[in-house]
Amino acid sequence: MTDSPSTVSDVMTHTAVAVGRHAAYKEIVELMDQWKVSALPVVEGDGRVIGVVSEADLLPKEEFRTDAPTLGEGARPDLWKAGAVTAGELMSSPAVTVHPGATVAEAARIMARRRVKRLPVVDRVGMLEGVVSRSDLLKVFLRTDEDLAEDVRRHVLADLPAAVGVEVSVTDGVVTLSGELRDRRLVPLLAKAVRAVEGVVDIRVDLTGSAARPAQRGRED
C-alpha cells in the first residue's frame, strides 16, 4: 500500500523559483510567465525568505498606468506599488510561509485564511526549501479507490475491535461503510477517523448494530 501523503514535504515542489530583493519588475513578470506561477518568494543571503511578490502586487502598475498616483503620506499600499520597480519594493513582507512538516490540512487552512494561492516552504531558520500550491494540496485526491479502502481497513478499522464486522468499499473517493458495528454509538468516531484519511472525498454509513448495553450490576445476596 502507498502511504498516505500527510505533510507538506510529501506534495510540495522542491525546486522553487525565487528572486532576490533587487530583481526588476520585468524580470519578475517574465519568470512568472516562464514557470506558470502566480507568486515568487523573495530571498536574500543564502536563501532566507524575506517576502513574496505576487500577481496582486504587480497589477497596480497596470491599474494606475494612465493615472499617475500621488504618493503622499498615507497613500494606499497599492498606490505605492504602482510606482515600484524591484521585488523589494513590490513584495508583501513578512511572507506567509509553512514548514515542511506541517500537515496538508494545516497548509490548506493557512491558504484559506490568508487568501494566498502559494506558500513558500521554509525550515526552522526561514531558509527556502520549496513551494506548495493549491494544486499540490489536491494531489491527495489522486489516490486510487483500492489504496483508500486498504488504508481505512489497516489504519482505522484494525484499531477498533468493535468494527470487526464492518466492510469497506470506495467509489470515486467516496467511502461506504457497511455491515455490523457492535456499538452504534461509535459511528461518529468511526466516521471522523475515516474522513481524516488523506484523499477521502466523502463517507456513507450503512451500518447495523445496537447501542451498547449498560453494564449489569451483580446480584445482591
Side-chain angles (χ1 to χ4, degrees), residues 6-12 95-104 106-108 110 119-132 137:
S6 58
T7 66
V8 168
S9 62
D10 292 319
V11 298
M12 73 181 191
V96 180
T97 62
V98 69
H99 295 295
T103 66
V104 170
E106 288 171 341
I110 293 173
L119 292 171
V121 183
V122 299
D123 64 14
R124 289 179 294 178
V125 295
M127 303 296 285
L128 184 65
E129 291 196 358
V131 171
V132 65
L137 300 185

Side-chain angles (χ1 to χ4, degrees), residues 101-183:
T103 66
V104 170
E106 288 171 341
R109 283 193 289 269
I110 293 173
M111 286 186 184
R113 291 170 181 168
R114 303 303 293 270
R115 298 181 180 180
V116 296
K117 299 178 181 179
R118 295 166 61 84
L119 292 171
V121 183
V122 299
D123 64 14
R124 289 179 294 178
V125 295
M127 303 296 285
L128 184 65
E129 291 196 358
V131 171
V132 65
S133 67
R134 290 176 177 177
S135 60
D136 291 328
L137 300 185
L138 292 175
K139 290 177 182 177
V140 296
F141 295 104
L142 297 177
R143 301 182 67 198
T144 67
D145 290 342
E146 294 78 9
D147 189 23
L148 290 174
E150 182 64 13
D151 208 349
V152 171
R153 293 187 190 101
R154 294 185 59 181
H155 300 290
V156 178
L157 301 184
D159 295 331
L160 192 63
V164 66
V166 176
E167 299 178 354
V168 181
S169 62
V170 184
T171 303
D172 295 332
V174 178
V175 177
T176 298
L177 301 178
S178 57
E180 182 178 358
L181 183 64
R182 295 176 183 173
D183 184 355

Side-chain angles (χ1 to χ4, degrees), residues 23-80:
Y25 183 101
K26 188 170 183 178
E27 177 188 352
I28 297 168
V29 175
E30 289 173 343
L31 282 172
M32 286 185 177
D33 180 66
Q34 177 184 351
W35 293 96
K36 308 302 179 189
V37 296
S38 59
L40 293 171
V42 182
V43 299
E44 67 178 3
D46 293 332
R48 185 171 62 86
V49 176
I50 59 173
V52 172
V53 60
S54 68
E55 292 171 336
D57 297 318
L58 299 171
L59 282 176
K61 188 172 292 294
E62 177 63 19
E63 180 182 356
F64 299 104
R65 184 165 56 88
T66 56
D67 287 324
T70 302
L71 301 180
E73 184 178 351
R76 288 160 40 197
D78 53 349
L79 295 181
W80 282 99

